[in-house]
Amino acid sequence: IMSTTMRGALGCVSLFTSILCLNSVRGQGVNIPLPKWDVLSPFPSASREQGADPLEAFGGITGIPRGDNSVYPSDLVFGGMAGWQTIAADNANNVNIQYNSSYVNWDLIEGWAGEAGAYFQGWGLSDFTTNETVTHVMVTCRGVTVFWLDDVIMRGDTYGVGYMFSSAALNAGVHNIRARFLGEEGAGFQCIVQNMNEVLQSSSPLLPMNDVIVSDIVDGVLASPWVSISVLNLGTVAIPTITIAASTSAPGVSVYILAQPTQTLAPSQIAPVSFQITFTPTTLPPSACPMGKTIPVTFSFLQDVVKGHPFNTTVNFACLNFTSNAYAFTFQDFDNSVQYAMARAPIYPCDKTFPQQESCPVLLTLHGAGVEASSGAWTYAYQQQNYSWILYPTNRRNYGWDWQGPGFFNVWNALDSFVTLMQGVPTSLAASYAPDPLRLLYAGHSMGGHGCWTVSSHYPDRALAVAPAAGWISMETYQPLFLRVGDSWADPFVRQILFGSVSDWSADFYTPNMVGIPLLARMGGDDTNVPPFHLKRMVRLVQELSHNTSQQVAQISEIAGQGHWFNGVVDDSIMQGFFNDHVLGSVPDLPTTFVVTTLNPATSESRGGIQILQQVIPHRASRIKVTRNGANWSLKTENVRRFGFNCIRSSPSSITVDGQSLGSVSGCLPVHYLRSDSNPKTWRVVNDNGAWQTTERGPLTYGPMERFLIANIIILYGTQGDGRGALPLQIATYLSNVLYFQERYAVNIVADTDFYPSMFESNMLLIGGPSSNYVSQKLANMFPKGLSFEGTNVTIGGSTFSDPGTGVLFQFQCSQQSMSLCAVMESICLMKAVSLFPVSSTMMVPDFAVAGPAWGYAGAGGLLAVGHWNNFWEYDESLA
């Protein structure tokens, strides 16, 4: 992610076109050749499926003969058996794999299974030799998600973006890389190993990456002081303290560090290092920062653990104009990491256009997969609006989390930060250009169209109108999951729990929340990327629920002959006319009858001001059907235990709930209503300022496991007892690097013996159970009721799991004061637990899962236990 002035500076973002994307760092190493690869593929694969490597049934890639004539079963190839082949890498270390029609009949497969039928997986193995006593290497594999250097697991650079690297110190001898790759008809990847010994002889081990976030300078003032630069620790010891120095060559300008970073770096860890700066003078005159020019700032990374000349990196800060340019601002997200968003001011001031509100609506638009929010092709795809701000969040990465999970909450934190701090708005104009977070025009394209469906259906009370373009409904409908390898053996109830853990992001389920909100679905009639089916289905569902086919309810704009992206897809006269029709009005009136709908109170706001806070049965459909008779409302609940009014809208004069008259609304949240467990038709008012969530599950603590990620994260690795050696730290480093690559997390890795109480303010991932992790041992009394350990054996709901090759992952509330969550990975085979952890969107992990010996090849069919805890953090057989 680049600053405004570094857009386009990534010279190596396309896959397999250059050796390494190190143009922004000082001191390249020496390439170690990887000329020959032994490749075993293709085997069936499905999108986002965990486990399910068919080779695991025969010993796994390290347990079978390498490069011989052995063959293994595959659903894809002619004759049903796939074998080894040797492939030579090209001069840039690219490995290209193709299968002709005589070996795999792709046309036949895709004819019945669609594009998803062409997905496959495989392995590539290569060796190299080091001759020095110790060789420090930097390694990356582009086009693969995970690889192993010898037996150390490392994150790959899946999308070839050029900022995912790992490091290791290798003894003299032969070493091995094992890359697990995915393909579609064909596959390609590129692994690079560089000898960094010469570099480290004179330089610091802190190597800055070409992954920089800064704000722009708007009318001479830095929009936000936060700067974030990603750094790799090339060394073999942890870096506990990093100090930044800054300088600029701009005439008449000085730069100072306001706050130093708090990030620590374990060996081979890559993470964003964030700090604050300021310029003097604080308002730069036009002569120092003329519009369209840049201010260069050089940052040096200093540390005291290992000596060496510091690496420097120079970042250009763009000088932009408030009234005409889209600009970048930085902010602290839900996990305290520094992220950015783009903003563009309206042409006319808000206080003049909207004298009653004295604030402007916000056109909230979400980008597609692979699109950088700062790209001019995206920010200027929308014309500057007359009366509304345009806000462009990032999803935290250009692929990110599909605007689900961390990406979903990034939207709201970007909006909240901008509304509160108004970054980039000149002080003299702040009162005239205030953004309104409760009057939103929702929009987006492709993956961002899915995001538009999601944010508008989960936060419907803020909607002026909704206009997704080429937006898919859910991953289950976009990438059909009927080809999942492991589902053949999975208990149907297990599949129900797994699919239920990701159903919260199925926008079609939430269409009842969209009734009464103006909707325009935009699509190209020939779009083969996101077929028009997705948008037409959503419109049909809204029309059916509205019992009205009028264009005033929901309308389709399908442009004949156009594909996925075309000029004007998000901003032609039709789209802009729709925005203009609704930007000047108020939030639409509520229908006489509407249904508040959620699958998870943790991600849903309100409809009609009514917010569901707790379910009777977690992760099942919860609804409140509301019938309005003037200011008197009748509410009929389904699977709702707690609800309240958030007062985004005017509350009714009186309410009747499930036939019980409760009179006037008792107040805004946290005041709420609680259903009696003994008499489901009886409700009472609760006014405990939210204290109930310290012992019961609610919006802050509901699962699934993905919800663990919506906080600052610390990984505490176990150092106790059982002879695992360096493995817990290796796993901690791998998972930290995964979260950095996928969603730009800044994770601190800490030994269990260095735990201190203030860590309860964060969510903690504990590598190792009570027998191997000191913190797990101390928190064992907080584990959910029905779960216990004896050594590495775990008992859940009366069943004990002790087979070799078993792994467990679960989350629990580890602090009633801060309501923070902890997650524990433990197993006889610790790597099995690692494979359960959600590292991208639509990975099906509820509150707990136990992977058995067959998990590696059977996927969901190899799960021994899976489920959700109930509202009181207890095992409940109806949820597992």
Side-chain angles (χ1 to χ4, degrees), residues 151-166:
D151 290 321
V152 178
I153 187 171
M154 295 181 173
R155 171 70 201 210
D157 183 358
T158 309
Y159 311 117
V161 291
Y163 49 66
M164 186 63 243
F165 299 87
S166 297

Side-chain angles (χ1 to χ4, degrees), residues 572-587:
D572 61 2
S573 59
I574 297 173
M575 295 293 283
Q576 188 57 51
F578 181 75
F579 296 143
N580 291 342
D581 286 344
H582 299 288
V583 69
L584 294 175
S586 301
V587 172

